């Protein structure tokens, strides 16, 4: 009988009454959350729906009656219970709210007119809505030194702080960087960092956004604008491939701030600091604003270019620049045109260039990746998993770079999932990563040997094999190093697919819209809609005609062909192979060996400086369209500011170039392209219209099954050498960081990191500059000990702001082994 | 790693071993650090953070919450004179005045020889013995001016060395709990049942009664 009543009494919802409204709440749901869902706002400072409640601020006191009469209780700490009656507007509640606000304002300075938060301040707003209107406090307020920097990006004004524990809780719970904490006690309590250890978290900007007062401010936005003067549009961040939803805000046609927008499937409202502050590069004075034409042909004046890249160029107009390009295109030999890049634009940009290449330029030599991703067929064709699925799989296998450095918000999601126990993380990596602490298991391996480690685990009697076989598995798969071949990573997919056929993959593509570019066919042998050129879908064939027959080269092939004089026109679509392509020797030979180099770029990057023509491109914030994140989720990006000078979106350049070359792409606006994508790509049929806002639309399925490369045994080890691992850092040597004033100084130093035992074998002190040799080249770099590096690896940042690490890498070799020589020239042992 | 002495480092390891979570050892280790140096140095906090696997900011947060962890150097003897009601009525203010004169420092100050730090304190729960004071938290009852002078002479001369250890030393005889004698606390995440003494809830609470 008791079983029957228990079953009856365990309903899926709990009936509560809030302000006379009957509300169906979830069991365990907090009163404040249930009220939010019912449309009843309870004022709050410390409560945040993505963090655990603490009951610090007492602002959410409401009268709650659970059968013992109404009592004031903090609604952020009390879960709903059956027949609970809540009154958020009773007289006692109002008196409590007035009292709490009067107390909070005892020490809070009333400097709203000069406070950045003024106008969007929860304390200001709630004081107006719920406050007593006057204070009985006449004494002197508490004083602290006005804003102190607690990191390079965040300033703290302790006088304004109301000690709600949001920032400190975020730093500890969500970011995992508890570098700020409450110090002292009572009236002296204040948030502080440890002396000499700043709050240098990759996620520090979030604390500014969730601060309910003006205590935390971000240096790029301080005193830049007032909230009521801001123009805003909702968009999707394209700094990396996670695709966080953001609100982009501008003032006087200049981007001034990004705020995270909370969407369930992706970012939960959080952003990384690179994404949040990278808007600084949009207004950089170094932007290309007019088409540039080289006075001298490429490859002849690199010494001048090094000194002052712009001196090589003279500004011109679009008609003559595009005319020169069109003439070169017409004069080019068949199959001698190539397009590199396209991962920085929108889906529409990628589609337009894909169509231009296949239908007008008649070439299949296109590649959105620069030898730093997985083979396109795998990225697009592997059975796909979403971020949510990765966070809820029985096992999530991480075989990728350090996600905290490469895809920070994915790192946050997986970290949160591991802490909540919704998934178990198993990691195979050449170094410890940001998630190592949260992984139930972390296997270290030499660079390029993840596949053989995994094979040994799954074929042996390791318990992992059984765990994977019996539960759901999501593999986060990415290149952990560009100094090992893509095949090494593809082999991981092959090993897993053969042994755990039900596993699904979340490909950790890095670059902003690389997934969208691949989906739009910017890879050799691929077509829009995740189709292969060998078997084009009917709708696409009807719109595009016959695709160029032979499968073209990938980035490596294009650069190799260009190096041997087989490419007459090389388009660099926001691509900078001299910085980003792993093998810098091949990149240099390729860029200088191509007949004409046309760079479509927003900056005169290292590669653009070697180009014959530079066409100014509009960037994020200056164009609308759609973007695709690493899951394949298509969402809208918004246009808010005007591109400088005559810079224009990539798709427009493609459309005009098509006309100049005697073709016609058949669209005149972004919306027409979005519609055409929906019409010709079965995968994107629903990725149109208003659904693209908010959560976006998950484009699913692929028109083919990927073929895996054959498994091969691990490459032979060089017994005396070390394996080169090129790891990424969030703040790297790329253009985004270099052109953003707020981030520029944060770029990581280039050092080589090795395990302390390996350093002992080298026989020098940590920090000594040594010479490192590979089969390809040599560099001088400081070497430091780091216990987080697996034995046998040497880890270097790529791309580095000041050192050409690519000089060591031969992109055709499966792995890169290096030898370390000390200054005296003794060999490493 | 350079702050803790060899002996204290192994003591730290033993203390950490008593807890299912390393972080739980933070306060005991702060005591060890204070016992070693007389106060808690930044260097010590950094090292404790490393030992208990957290950030120095969290160690500072915890350390600064507690009045008895000193983050500035204090004298070998910390003299806390009670200034709360009973003692105040029984002459605490005069005692403090005398102490200031005798030691030549104001309340809160440390003598130049580093021997004494004088401080005013809240009630020390010895109201029947007012005015009272503590030297390194060891009580002295019904202290008058002469008694204070005698106390200072005894402390400076070493007559009370057996009774009152230097500031920071909590106990002379340290408790050693070998691993096999520890109570075997389970990590919080491994606890999924209510304690045995708590009756299992009938049905689901309010509705079923």
């Amino acid at each position: 009988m008791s079983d029957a009543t228990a079953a009856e009494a365990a309903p899926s919802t709990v009936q509560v009454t809030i302000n006379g409204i009957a509300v169906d709440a979830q069991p365990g749901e907090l009163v404040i959350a249930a009220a939010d869902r019912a449309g009843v706002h309870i004022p709050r400072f410390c409560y945040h729906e993505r963090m655990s409640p603490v009951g610090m601020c007492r602002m959410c006191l409401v009268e709650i009656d659970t059968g013992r009469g109404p009592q004031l209780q903090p609604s952020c700490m009390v879960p709903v219970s059956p027949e609970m009656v809540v009154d958020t507007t009773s007289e006692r509640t109002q008196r409590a709210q007035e009292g709490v606000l009067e107390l909070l304002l005892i020490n809070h300075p009333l400097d709203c007119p000069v406070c950045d938060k003024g106008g969007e301040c929860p304390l200001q707003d709630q004081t107006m809505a719920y406050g007593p209107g006057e204070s009985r406090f006449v004494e002197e307020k508490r004083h602290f030194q006005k804003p102190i920097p607690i990191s390079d990006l965040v300033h703290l004004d302790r006088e304004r702080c109301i000690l709600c524990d949001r920032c400190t809780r975020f730093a500890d719970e969500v970011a995992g960087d508890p570098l700020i904490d409450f110090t002292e006690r009572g009236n002296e309590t204040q948030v502080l960092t440890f002396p000499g250890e700043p709050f240098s978290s990759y996620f520090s900007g979030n604390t500014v956004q969730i601060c309910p007062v003006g205590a935390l401010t971000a240096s790029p936005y301080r005193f830049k604008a007032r909230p009521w003067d801001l123009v805003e549009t909702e968009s999707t961040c394209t700094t990396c491939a996670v695709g966080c939803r953001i609100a982009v805000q501008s003032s006087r046609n200049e981007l001034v701030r990004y705020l995270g927008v909370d969407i369930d499937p992706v970012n939960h409202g959080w952003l990384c600091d690179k994404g949040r502050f990278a808007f600084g590069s949009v207004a950089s004075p170094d932007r290309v604003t007019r088409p540039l034409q080289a006075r001298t042909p490429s490859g002849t004046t690199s010494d001048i270019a090094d000194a002052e890249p712009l001196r090589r160029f003279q500004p011109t107009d679009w008609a003559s620049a595009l005319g020169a390009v069109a003439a070169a295109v017409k004069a080019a030999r068949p199959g001698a045109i190539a397009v590199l890049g396209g991962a920085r634009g929108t889906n529409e940009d990628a589609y337009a260039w894909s169509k231009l290449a296949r239908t007008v330029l008649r070439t299949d030599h296109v590649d959105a990746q620069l030898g730093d991703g997985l083979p396109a067929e795998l990225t697009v064709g592997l059975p796909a998993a979403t971020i949510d699925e990765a966070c809820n799989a029985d096992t999530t296998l991480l075989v990728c770079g350090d996600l905290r450095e490469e895809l920070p918000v994915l790192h946050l999601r997986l970290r949160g999932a591991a802490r909540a126990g919704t998934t178990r993380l198993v990691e195979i990596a050449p170094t410890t990563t940001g998630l190592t602490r949260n992984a139930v298991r972390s296997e270290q391996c030499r660079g390029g040997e993840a596949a053989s480690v995994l094979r040994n685990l799954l074929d042996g009697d390791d318990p992992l094999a059984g765990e994977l076989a019996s539960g759901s598995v999501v593999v986060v798969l990415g290149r952990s190093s560009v100094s090992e071949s893509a095949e090494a990573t593809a082999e991981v997919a092959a090993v897993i697919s053969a042994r755990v056929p039900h596993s699904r993959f979340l490909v950790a593509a890095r670059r902003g819209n690389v997934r969208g570019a691949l989906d739009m066919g910017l890879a050799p042998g691929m077509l829009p809609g995740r189709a292969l050129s060998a078997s084009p879908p009917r709708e696409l064939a009807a719109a595009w005609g016959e695709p160029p027959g032979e499968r073209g080269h990938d980035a490596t092939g294009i650069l190799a062909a260009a190096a041997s004089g087989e490419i007459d026109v090389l388009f660099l679509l926001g691509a900078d192979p001299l910085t980003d392509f792993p093998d810098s020797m091949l990149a240099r030979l390729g860029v200088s060996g191509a007949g004409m180099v046309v760079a479509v770029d927003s900056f005169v990057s290292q590669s653009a400086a070697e180009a014959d023509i530079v066409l100014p491109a509009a960037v994020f914030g200056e164009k609308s369209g759609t973007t695709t994140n690493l899951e394949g989720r298509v969402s809208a990006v918004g246009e808010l500011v005007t591109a400088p000078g005559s810079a224009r979106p990539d798709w427009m350049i493609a459309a005009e170039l098509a006309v100049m070359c005697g073709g016609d792409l058949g669209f005149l606006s972004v919306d027409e392209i979005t519609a055409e994508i929906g019409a010709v790509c079965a995968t994107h049929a629903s990725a149109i219209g208003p659904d693209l806002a908010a959560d976006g639309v998950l484009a699913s399925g692929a028109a083919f099954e990927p073929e895996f490369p054959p498994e091969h045994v691990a490459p032979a080890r060089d017994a005396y050498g070390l394996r080169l691992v090129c790891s990424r850092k969030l703040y790297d040597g790329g253009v985004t960081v270099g052109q953003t004033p707020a981030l520029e100084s944060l770029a990581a130093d280039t050092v080589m990191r090795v395990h302390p035992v390996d350093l002992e074998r080298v026989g020098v002190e940590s920090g000594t500059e040594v010479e490192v040799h590979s089969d390809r080249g040599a560099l001088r770099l400081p070497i430091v000990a780091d216990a987080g590096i697996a034995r046998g690896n040497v880890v270097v940042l790529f791309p580095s702001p000041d050192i050409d690490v690519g000089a060591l890498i031969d992109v055709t070799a499966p792995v890169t082994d290096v030898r370390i020589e000390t200054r005296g020239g003794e060999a490493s042992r | 790693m350079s702050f803790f002495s060899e002996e204290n480092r192994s003591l730290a390891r033993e203390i950490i071993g008593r807890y299912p979570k390393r972080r739980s050892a933070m306060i005991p280790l702060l005591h060890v650090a204070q016992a070693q140096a007389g106060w808690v140095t930044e260097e010590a906090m950094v090292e404790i953070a490393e030992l208990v696997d957290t950030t120095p900011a969290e160690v500072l947060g915890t350390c600064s919450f507690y009045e008895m962890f000193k983050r500035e150097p204090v004298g070998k003897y910390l003299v806390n004179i009670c200034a709360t009601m009973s003692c105040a009525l029984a002459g605490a203010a005069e005692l403090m005045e005398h102490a200031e004169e005798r030691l030549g420092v104001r309340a809160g100050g440390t003598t130049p020889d580093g021997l004494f730090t004088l401080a005013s304190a809240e009630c020390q729960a010895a109201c029947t013995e007012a005015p009272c004071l503590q030297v390194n938290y060891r009580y002295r009852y019904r202290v008058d001016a002469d008694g204070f002078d005698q106390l200072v002479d005894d402390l400076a001369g070493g007559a009370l060395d057996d009774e009152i250890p230097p500031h920071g030393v909590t106990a002379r005889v340290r408790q050693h709990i070998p691993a096999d004698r520890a109570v075997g606390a389970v990590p919080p995440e491994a606890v999924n049942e209510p304690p045995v003494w708590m009756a299992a809830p009938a049905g689901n609470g309010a509705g079923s009664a």
Side-chain angles (χ1 to χ4, degrees), chain A residues 9 172 178-185 193-195 197 437, chain B residues 42 45-46 53 55-58 60-61 64-65 67 71 204:
Chain A
D172 183 21
L179 297 167
I180 46 174
D181 204 351
F182 284 135
T183 61
E184 309 293 339
R185 187 171 52 169
T193 60
F194 192 77
E197 194 170 295
R437 278 162 167 270
Chain B
E42 275 181 20
M45 287 191 266
V46 170
D53 200 16
T55 58
E58 281 201 335
L60 172 66
S64 62
F65 184 84
E67 166 88 348
R71 283 171 300 127
N204 74 330

Side-chain angles (χ1 to χ4, degrees), chain A residues 779-801:
Chain A
L779 286 178
R780 289 195 78 82
L781 278 170
I783 189 166
V784 297
D786 182 341
I789 310 289
R791 289 284 308 273
N793 288 332
V794 50
V795 177
V796 185
L797 162 72
F798 182 91
S800 147

